[in-house]
Amino acid sequence: MDMIDPELAAVVVAMTEEVMANGIPTLPERGDALGLRELLDLGMAGILSPPSTSVFVSSHLASTPDGKELELRWYFIDSARSTSCPAVVYLHGGGMIGGKLDYYDGLARHYVQESTVPMLLVGYRLAPERTGTGLAEDGFSALQWLLEHADDLGVDGTRVAVMGDSGGGGVAAGTAILARDRGVRLAKQILIYPMLDDRTIEPDPGLEDVVAWTYDNNWTCWKALLGDAFGSDAVSPVAAPARLADFSGLPASYIEVGELDIFRDECIAYAQSLHKAGVSCELHVLPGVLHGYDRMSFEIGVSRRMLADRCRVIGSL
């Protein structure tokens, strides 16, 4: 625990004691994506959200090219609805195999209240039922829906960003790649400890004993998404954005990752590739911080600071 931010370490100890008191859940075997989904959803269902008031929400459906419909939730402050404002398309976390819109309702409300920028929460389809580039394609379908309805929603289509955390951060990055390749200009991509590289499966001895998101979890999720292509040269950068060769033309970016997160190196490398391509990128590597730290507690100092920072970036759109 000496490596972890002291406030976060206290939260981890308290969470561990609570889990042990209630009975340690059976961990799924490596490769059991549906078992891991169940465990992830169980954990996310109990997460508290930062406080928010005066945020409205409406539900919508977006059609996809394969004839399906995606659930969308539009969060907004009523007084801003008639103006031409920016907007954010948000892809939720869950390792690309789990997560639900309900788990992110409170967080979306907080971002909107603090930034005054409306947000579209996307119910994209998950692996292993949806595979490869399909998750990012769903993200792009949601982005298209927002742009098509921009006038009705009071949105300035030139000031739309994509945002996501963890697995959703990877989907958001893939959506940004699709947008660039299809001539849709984004204002920014905001990636919160994003899952970018299917090759992050070999344990780092310096991280193995402290990480909150494990290498086995990562292996299970990427295998569920990529199937037989996992780890091969056949992997599309739309599915695993770290595979991208040409970063030119991507939107200005914000990337945040913890020092004790197995995604640390891939996030740093992604930021460096953006910089080399002449794309502005604000990168934060947070000392002593684990993956998903903010969802462990919104009250600790680092969570409060970074929530405010994210709202600053959203508000700057």
Side-chain angles (χ1 to χ4, degrees):
M1 287 291 183
D2 292 344
M3 300 173 65
I4 305 177
D5 174 275
E7 284 187 294
L8 180 57
V11 171
V12 172
V13 169
M15 291 175 65
T16 302
E17 290 175 349
E18 182 178 356
V19 167
M20 294 183 68
N22 294 327
I24 300 174
T26 301
L27 298 177
E29 294 183 1
R30 178 168 159 167
D32 181 3
L34 297 182
L36 182 56
R37 173 190 291 172
E38 184 176 355
L39 189 63
L40 290 172
D41 283 357
L42 180 65
M44 286 190 283
I47 289 175
L48 300 175
S49 297
S52 61
T53 58
S54 305
V55 175
F56 297 84
V57 60
S58 57
S59 295
H60 306 273
L61 294 173
S63 299
T64 64
D66 62 346
K68 304 297 183 181
E69 290 185 323
L70 305 177
E71 182 184 2
L72 308 176
R73 293 186 190 173
W74 176 244
Y75 293 82
F76 60 96
I77 295 175
D78 197 42
S79 61
R81 204 173 187 192
S82 61
T83 65
S84 184
C85 61
V88 174
V89 176
Y90 196 99
L91 291 308
H92 67 75
M96 303 186 191
I97 66 167
K100 297 178 182 179
L101 298 187
D102 288 346
Y103 303 156
Y104 279 76
D105 178 81
L107 188 58
R109 290 176 185 272
H110 177 77
Y111 286 142
V112 172
Q113 175 179 286
E114 296 301 312
S115 70
T116 74
V117 174
M119 179 170 284
L120 187 71
L121 200 56
V122 183
Y124 63 94
R125 289 168 286 178
L126 303 170
E129 295 86 356
R130 181 77 159 155
T131 57
T133 61
L135 284 69
E137 290 285 0
D138 283 357
F140 186 76
S141 292
L143 172 62
Q144 284 185 304
W145 181 93
L146 177 60
L147 295 175
E148 288 166 3
H149 293 83
D151 289 344
D152 295 335
L153 298 171
V155 168
D156 179 352
T158 67
R159 292 192 289 158
V160 174
V162 293
M163 180 176 181
D165 66 292
S166 193
V171 178
T175 300
I177 294 169
L178 285 176
R180 178 200 65 177
D181 293 348
R182 294 171 181 176
V184 177
R185 188 170 181 83
L186 290 170
K188 192 173 283 287
Q189 60 176 344
I190 303 168
L191 309 178
I192 310 303
Y193 38 79
M195 179 177 170
L196 301 169
D197 198 340
D198 62 301
R199 296 163 296 189
T200 304
I201 54 174
E202 295 297 328
D204 179 336
L207 295 178
E208 197 171 5
D209 294 331
V210 294
V211 295
W213 179 255
T214 70
Y215 291 93
D216 278 349
N217 287 350
N218 216 38
W219 192 99
T220 295
C221 292
W222 282 116
K223 179 65 176 177
L225 181 76
L226 300 174
D228 291 341
F230 178 31
S232 75
D233 292 338
V235 174
S236 167
V238 174
R243 299 290 195 130
L244 190 64
D246 179 11
F247 284 73
S248 62
L250 287 175
S253 306
Y254 172 98
I255 300 176
E256 171 196 314
V257 69
E259 183 181 48
L260 304 179
D261 190 329
I262 70 170
F263 297 157
R264 178 196 63 202
D265 292 351
E266 65 194 60
C267 288
I268 293 171
Y270 206 75
Q272 289 175 326
S273 294
L274 288 164
H275 286 147
K276 289 176 182 176
V279 178
S280 177
C281 179
E282 178 179 347
L283 172 66
H284 295 266
V285 182
L286 309 176
V289 167
L290 303 168
H291 185 78
Y293 68 94
D294 52 329
R295 307 310 301 271
M296 297 178 192
S297 172
F298 293 105
E299 300 301 323
I300 60 176
V302 65
S303 293
R304 292 197 305 271
R305 291 193 300 272
M306 299 318 296
L307 281 169
D309 219 33
R310 298 170 198 171
C311 291
R312 169 187 61 81
V313 173
I314 295 168
S316 71
L317 293 171

